[in-house]
């Protein structure tokens, strides 16, 4: 593969939002691969919470940890979309972020099991402070965008004070007690991009690049979802019991992941992310895409483990909801995102989400964990098939109309 020497140091220049043929860099892809280790840690801890019956503690920790990981990834992704910063200082600063992201993965079990946020908050703050430094570099190199960049930089700096106080000052909080502090900190984080975009001359994103970056991270999480389920399946097989049942479960898990992949990449819609409202809905909406996919991976692993052990801390109905609810949430999120796309049709998706929730829960309540997995898999595959046919018929009608014209 041909390569060009990296610059020792150079100004961070704004990239052309209309640049043709722009794709993700190898550094961006490497960043995603390292970051997905934290996603795996969350999925594994959610799996543990489900199998042990610690749902309240696990659910609160899951939502909070997913926000932290997603937001740290978002910060890097959007900065790299706006600017062309590939020099040695930039790469070294990204290295610091990558090492801190591994620290996030180390700190996640401490949050789920001991309510200890110190490792996680410390690593998150490092990632965000590096991001602030990147924005200061961009402000120095782009005088017309200085207000825009400085709002990002100072906003990130200020909110880290709150996170440090939360992680190191407020010790021994119960999961429920952390909720108001997390809502406050999360809301301030979410407001920083909105405040920056209200600058006199904000940067314009490269729409195709953003879509590709989000799609690639979705793909990696889908792969991680299958891996988590596969690891639980292999562990369960060590006693050589329930071989046929577990094989059916593993195949169903793979088919479900394939269906979710097809539904996302084939039917999400087309977006103009240079429009401010659309880009915010797209970006923030993907929190629920990533969260539901991660929850599905953990739930599938828990279901397969329950089949192998013939027992579980949760009842059948609750266990069924652990899988049916995030699959329904995934479809409902795509329905929401489609409302701002060029396709703008979401009714069928919401009905499908409700049907999968009802069918999966009912099957699990009546016949147990394997019935849940099979029912959700079949219902999702049926909806995918209906969408494929609907899209094909629409394409045929368009061709006929064009021929008549």
């Amino acid at each position: 593969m041909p390569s060009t020497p990296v610059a020792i140091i150079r100004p961070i220049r704004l990239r052309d939002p209309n640049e043709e043929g722009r794709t993700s860099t190898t550094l961006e892809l490497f960043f995603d691969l390292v970051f997905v280790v934290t996603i795996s840690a969350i999925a594994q801890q959610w799996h543990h919470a489900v199998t042990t019956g610690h749902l309240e503690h696990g659910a609160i920790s899951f939502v909070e940890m997913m926000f932290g990981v997603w937001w740290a990834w978002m910060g890097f992704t959007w900065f790299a979309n706006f600017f062309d910063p590939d020099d040695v200082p930039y790469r070294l600063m990204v290295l610091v972020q990558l090492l801190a992201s591994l620290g996030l993965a180390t700190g996640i079990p401490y949050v789920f099991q001991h309510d200890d946020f110190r490792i996680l908050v410390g690593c998150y703050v490092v990632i965000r402070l590096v991001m602030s430094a990147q924005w200061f570099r961009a402000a120095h190199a782009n005088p017309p965008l200085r207000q825009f960049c400085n709002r990002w930089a100072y906003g990130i700096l200020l909110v880290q004070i709150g996170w440090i106080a939360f992680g190191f000052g407020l010790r021994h909080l119960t999961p429920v007690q952390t909720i108001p502090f997390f809502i406050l900190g999360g809301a301030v984080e979410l407001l920083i991009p909105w405040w920056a975009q209200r600058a006199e001359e904000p940067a314009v994103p490269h729409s195709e690049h953003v879509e590709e970056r989000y799609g690639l991270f979705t793909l990696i999480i889908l792969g991680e979802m299958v891996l988590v389920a596969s690891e639980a399946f292999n562990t369960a097989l060590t006693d050589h019991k329930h071989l046929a049942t577990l094989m059916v479960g593993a195949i169903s898990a793979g088919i479900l992941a394939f269906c979710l992949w097809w539904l996302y990449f084939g039917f999400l819609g087309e977006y103009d992310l240079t429009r401010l409202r659309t880009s915010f809905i797209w970006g923030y909406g993907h929190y629920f895409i990533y969260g539901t996919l991660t929850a599905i991976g953990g739930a599938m692993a828990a279901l397969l483990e329950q089949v192998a052990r013939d027992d579980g801390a949760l009842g059948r109905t609750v266990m069924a909801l652990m899988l049916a609810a995030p699959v329904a949430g995934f479809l409902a999120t795509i329905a929401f995102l489609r409302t701002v796309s060029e396709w703008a049709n979401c009714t069928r998706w919401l009905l499908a989400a409700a049907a999968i929730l009802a069918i999966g829960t009912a099957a699990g309540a009546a016949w147990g964990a394997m019935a849940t997995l099979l029912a959700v898999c079949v219902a999702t595959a049926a909806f995918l098939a209906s969408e494929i046919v609907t899209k094909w018929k629409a394409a045929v009608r368009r061709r006929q109309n064009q021929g008549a014209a």
Side-chain angles (χ1 to χ4, degrees), residues 308-333:
R309 293 169 54 186
D310 281 329
D311 65 0
L314 301 177
R316 286 181 170 183
T317 302
V318 177
M319 197 68 182
L321 281 170
M322 295 301 99
L323 179 64
V327 173
F330 176 82
L331 296 182
T333 302

Side-chain angles (χ1 to χ4, degrees), residues 70 172 184 284 286 298 311 315 387:
W70 163 74
H172 309 299
L184 177 61
Y284 290 178
H286 269 74
D311 65 0
E387 285 297 289

Side-chain angles (χ1 to χ4, degrees), residues 233 236-237 239-248 306-310 370:
F233 170 66
L237 271 180
D239 62 1
H240 302 290
K241 293 181 179 180
H242 311 98
L243 179 60
T245 305
L246 286 170
M247 187 63 69
V248 171
Q306 188 180 69
V307 170
R309 293 169 54 186
D310 281 329
M370 187 53 60

Side-chain angles (χ1 to χ4, degrees), residues 247-317:
M247 187 63 69
V248 171
I251 293 171
S252 299
I255 293 173
L256 178 59
F258 181 80
C259 291
L260 297 178
W261 163 79
W262 198 330
L263 288 167
Y264 178 89
F265 287 98
F267 299 95
L268 183 59
E270 299 172 1
Y271 299 83
D272 179 10
L273 298 181
T274 60
R275 297 172 56 191
L276 188 61
R277 175 175 175 270
T278 302
S279 66
F280 271 89
I281 292 175
W282 166 274
Y284 290 178
H286 269 74
Y287 168 77
F288 301 99
I289 294 287
Y290 299 152
T292 53
L293 289 177
T294 304
I296 291 167
M300 287 197 305
L303 284 168
L304 290 169
E305 183 176 326
Q306 188 180 69
V307 170
R309 293 169 54 186
D310 281 329
D311 65 0
L314 301 177
R316 286 181 170 183
T317 302

Side-chain angles (χ1 to χ4, degrees), residues 38-66 108-113 175 225 228-229 232 290-303 305 313-314 318-327:
T38 63
I39 297 292
S40 176
I42 294 173
Q44 290 170 1
Q45 291 302 313
W46 176 238
H47 166 202
H48 178 73
V50 171
T51 54
T52 57
H54 299 147
L55 283 188
E56 179 184 290
H57 188 291
I60 294 172
S61 299
F62 179 90
V63 171
E64 294 176 346
M65 296 306 93
M66 276 304 305
I108 284 169
Y110 286 88
V111 174
F112 273 88
Q113 298 173 23
M225 182 181 82
V228 170
Y290 299 152
T292 53
L293 289 177
T294 304
I296 291 167
M300 287 197 305
L303 284 168
E305 183 176 326
L314 301 177
V318 177
M319 197 68 182
L321 281 170
M322 295 301 99
L323 179 64
V327 173

Side-chain angles (χ1 to χ4, degrees), residues 72-108:
W73 178 85
M74 283 266 289
F76 171 84
T77 297
W78 281 91
F79 180 84
N81 178 265
F82 288 132
F83 298 101
D84 182 19
D86 195 20
D87 61 3
V88 170
Y90 175 76
R91 291 189 177 192
L92 293 178
M93 293 170 83
V94 171
L95 172 62
V96 174
Q97 291 181 302
L98 293 176
L99 294 175
S101 75
L102 296 178
L104 285 181
T106 302
I108 284 169

Side-chain angles (χ1 to χ4, degrees), residues 159-174:
V159 77
Q160 300 322 300
I161 298 173
W163 288 126
I164 292 171
F166 168 76
F168 294 92
L170 301 174
R171 301 285 305 282
H172 309 299
L173 295 177
T174 66

Side-chain angles (χ1 to χ4, degrees), residues 252 255-256 259-260 263 324 327-328 331 348 351-361 363 371-387:
S252 299
I255 293 173
L256 178 59
C259 291
L260 297 178
L263 288 167
V327 173
L331 296 182
R348 292 193 308 274
L351 292 174
I356 289 171
L357 181 62
I359 292 170
T361 304
T372 300
L373 188 51
L374 282 171
V376 170
C377 176
V378 171
T380 305
F383 173 63
L384 171 61
S386 72
E387 285 297 289

